[in-house]
Amino acid sequence: MKSAGKAELYRQLPSVDELARTPQLADLAAAHGSPALVEAARDLLSALRREIDEGRHDQVGLQAVLVDLSDRVASQLKKNLGYSLRPVINATGVILHTNLGRAPLPTAARDHLGEVATTYSNLEFDLSRGERGRRDVHVDSLFRQLFDRESRSSGRELATIVVNNNAAAVLLVLNTLAEGGEVIVSRGELVEIGGSFRIPDVMAKSHAILNEVGTTNRTRVSDYADAINSNTRALLRVHRSNFEVSGFTEQPPLPKLAELSRLKGIPLVEDLGSGSLFDLRSVGITGEPGVIDSLRAGVDVVTYSGDKLLGGPQAGILTGRPDLISRCRSNSLFRALRVDKLIYAALAATILAYIRQDYDSIPAVRALKMPADEIRRRVDALLHQLPAGSVRFSMQPGESVIGGGAAPSSVLPTVLLALEAEGWAADEIIGTLRLNDPPIIARVENGKVLLDLRTVFPAQDSSIVMALSNLASAAKTPGQDRAAHPHS
Ligand SMILES: *Cc1c(COP(=O)(O)O)cnc(C)c1O
């Protein structure tokens, strides 16, 4: 009986072709092409067949679905052709949020990237000689300008190359300098970052042999000196990006390690992680060494990320002694880890902003520098536009964090927009905000939903007002359907 009923329901479904040729869908077929429309119709009909099969439709229910079938095809098409990767509003106050794509690019980087992307370029073509060139010259010369003062004062020339990310940079430098040989690392620096980057694992993949020295909390220069042997190829210092060791601790100052490395003729490599090119001390953040600090201390090769505090595209940058950088460049791994023209374009524009000291054009640096007072004024302006009602909006002091493996214990004072609603759990509210278009990512603390505007672009404030106003009107009818709450 039941299966006969199903057969009857199946028969009422149009064929894929019939559905795709519905006159109401003609405009969509013209705009997106009929193959995409047919595909959407097919997806929709197979979903319906599945639902019938699961017994989720009776005669009346199916009729209700069939009357607006073309609308359903239209939304299926929109879904099929929509991007999965899309912009979100980061209201977490975490400036470099790895889950949210780390650093937003400067607009100049986007523009230059766009300019280079859709045409041919001189990526590997030397325009003055009319012959094959090298892709790395485009950023090497900019980094030389940036580090020029440092080079002149120390009398050391500095070269730079770029690979896919900092993990790749570490792999490349270890493999180049130490394949088959030993690398000395302090036991206090055998870090794991982001769940999959682990120093011992990268070391193994580079075919270098890890020689651990010292203890978790204390390592002295003499520990390195005692461990050096004829098979030692490098000393590696790793920045403790995402944790701190406190209490009875000791880590040799970088200049002392550099002195030992010079004395023994063994290169000192530093995995710096974030690699700031901006003086963080100027915004009150201490204990996060910058790239210049490391170079000045005498590190031979420093590796750092392009999309952490530097504020550019995902990349791994190696800066240091030209002879060592040139060896890394000649390694066939460099070819496998190289970056494409879009990254060179975006990185070059970002480095130019540093050369011009135009820090406010770099969103990550701008967010770092943003005074709490400026954030307070914006929160205040938002509060004036929000309705009074059952969702209570308020302002409270708080802290933003840098994230992305930088200054784990440093925080920046901020002003938060807080909201609470009677009978509406904070987790449910952030879920609703996540489904906003564009999605808004907020956090919950002590039962309150908190939004930190430090990481929200001022042009996005109006989207926040709109989303929160919708939330407020949805909350006015407790116990009933909340209009702004999807899936209810
Ligand atoms: C972030 C980080 C890495 C990994 O850099 P990616 O650019 O994410 O590959 C490696 N080492 C340290 C110390 C880091 O902080």
Side-chain angles (χ1 to χ4, degrees), residues 102 165-167 193 197 238-239 241 271-274 305 308 315 405:
R102 290 195 184 159
N165 53 30
N166 186 34
I193 287 142
F197 179 85
V238 184
H239 182 50
S241 297
D271 171 15
L272 197 50
S274 208
S305 296
K308 288 186 179 172

